[in-house]
Amino acid sequence: MTNFLIGWLTIIPSYATPLLLASLGLIISERAGVLNLGPEGLMAVGAMVGAVAVINGFDPWLAVAAGIGAAVVLSLLFGLAVVVFRADQTLAGLAVVALGLGFTGSVGRPFIQQTFAGIPQFGDDSKPGPWRLIAHQDPLVVFALVLVVALWWWLTRTRAGLRLRAVGEDPGTADIAGVDVQLVQLAAVTACGALCGLAGVYLSVAASHVWIEGMVAGRGWIAVALVIFARWEPRRALLGALLFGGADALVPRLQAIGADVPTYLMMMLPYGLTLIVLVASSAIGRRGPAQPSHLGDVYLRQDKH
């Protein structure tokens, strides 16, 4: 039982990290009032481009940069559509998902199932004992944890964070106060794309060292739900990512010990948990920082008052 628990705890961070990175990106975007439903497509692009870069001989860290860059390009298209040309944010987000999945499915097909040496872990995790908890992790796990604290501090303790939140809460007042609403929203969408791309790269280059079509497997949608669960607060996003990541990591651990459990029902656990958490979160009501007042609204300068 102890070995099972240690093994389970050891792999939870690798399941939670992509959810955490994507949800932090969404918090930045939605705090600026831009509803972004495109993480599934952004993560797919990041995962595929990162894997293709490594397969073609690039250093894994350069592959990480390539995956982030590709997701940023797609995210900027989304930003231009919704911020500059004022397209419907829900439809534009769904278009990003379709574009991302279609692009990776067509361009990345020749690279499917090709294994490669990605970002290394901190140590040898084959030795039994608690050391495995640390040895199995990698630098991106540490980066994600540091980012939680940094983003919380930036949003709540800095003038730039206050301006971002002001744009999401009342863009008209922020505009009157001298804040460039469009510039802030474009920057927030770009940051969201970068973190969603990093979440995707993590799946291929750090966690699995292979790219498979459809490997994001709904994690982008779980990140969207996780942000609602977290009430747009980075520290709660960490708790949510550990909760969802822990449920996701339970399936391979049970299979590894040969437990007689219904596999397909267990694989539904993270998605079922997502629905339960959303319902429970709505029933409990709003506590702490809640949804930005103008989330999803199209801002026009004549709207300021």
Side-chain angles (χ1 to χ4, degrees):
M1 186 64 182
T2 302
N3 287 335
F4 172 80
L5 285 176
I6 292 176
W8 182 46
L9 294 174
T10 297
I11 63 173
I12 284 178
S14 63
Y15 283 81
T17 297
L19 297 176
L20 179 60
L21 290 169
S23 62
L24 292 179
L26 287 172
I27 287 174
I28 296 173
S29 176
E30 296 189 3
R31 281 286 195 170
V34 180
L35 177 65
N36 192 340
L37 298 180
E40 187 79 5
L42 296 170
M43 290 175 69
V45 169
M48 188 277 287
V49 172
V52 170
V54 179
I55 291 171
N56 282 282
F58 288 91
D59 181 84
W61 289 108
L62 287 177
V64 169
I68 292 173
V72 165
V73 170
L74 183 56
S75 191
L76 274 176
L77 292 177
F78 168 77
L80 289 173
V82 301
V83 176
V84 178
F85 298 105
R86 301 181 178 88
D88 182 272
Q89 296 180 10
T90 300
L91 295 178
L94 296 176
V96 168
V97 176
L99 280 172
L101 297 180
F103 174 74
T104 56
S106 57
V107 176
R109 187 154 299 170
F111 304 96
I112 292 175
Q113 299 281 11
Q114 295 188 34
T115 57
F116 50 81
I119 295 175
Q121 301 172 353
F122 285 135
D124 181 9
D125 62 351
S126 62
K127 299 178 182 177
W131 164 245
R132 293 171 57 193
L133 291 170
I134 298 175
H136 186 76
Q137 313 313 324
D138 57 69
L140 288 178
V141 173
V142 178
F143 172 77
L145 294 175
V146 172
L147 188 61
V148 171
V149 179
L151 181 58
W152 169 80
W153 178 82
W154 185 78
L155 284 173
T156 59
R157 298 289 188 272
T158 68
R159 186 178 295 274
L162 175 62
R163 288 178 176 174
L164 181 93
R165 290 187 287 124
V167 168
E169 294 295 338
D170 192 340
T173 302
D175 195 358
I176 292 173
V179 177
D180 190 327
V181 174
Q182 286 191 329
L183 184 62
V184 170
Q185 290 185 328
L186 274 176
V189 168
T190 303
C192 177
L195 289 176
C196 288
L198 180 58
V201 176
Y202 184 87
L203 288 172
S204 60
V205 178
S208 57
H209 298 187
V210 68
W211 182 72
I212 303 170
E213 187 176 356
M215 72 184 306
V216 178
R219 290 181 176 86
W221 298 113
I222 292 178
V224 173
L226 201 158
V227 171
I228 299 171
F229 165 76
R231 293 292 181 190
W232 293 267
E233 211 281 325
R235 294 171 299 178
R236 291 188 63 171
L238 173 60
L239 295 177
L242 291 173
L243 178 66
F244 289 109
D248 204 9
L250 193 58
V251 178
R253 288 307 304 165
L254 289 173
Q255 290 176 329
I257 63 172
D260 186 17
V261 294
T263 303
Y264 291 106
L265 285 178
M266 292 299 297
M267 291 175 69
M268 291 171 55
L269 185 60
Y271 309 103
L273 186 61
T274 301
L275 293 175
I276 293 171
V277 165
L278 286 176
V279 172
S281 183
S282 300
I284 291 172
R286 297 184 175 185
R287 292 181 181 179
Q291 175 178 320
S293 300
H294 284 260
L295 176 62
D297 292 348
V298 175
Y299 174 66
L300 301 174
R301 292 210 74 180
Q302 59 264 30
D303 290 342
K304 66 181 182 182
H305 49 76

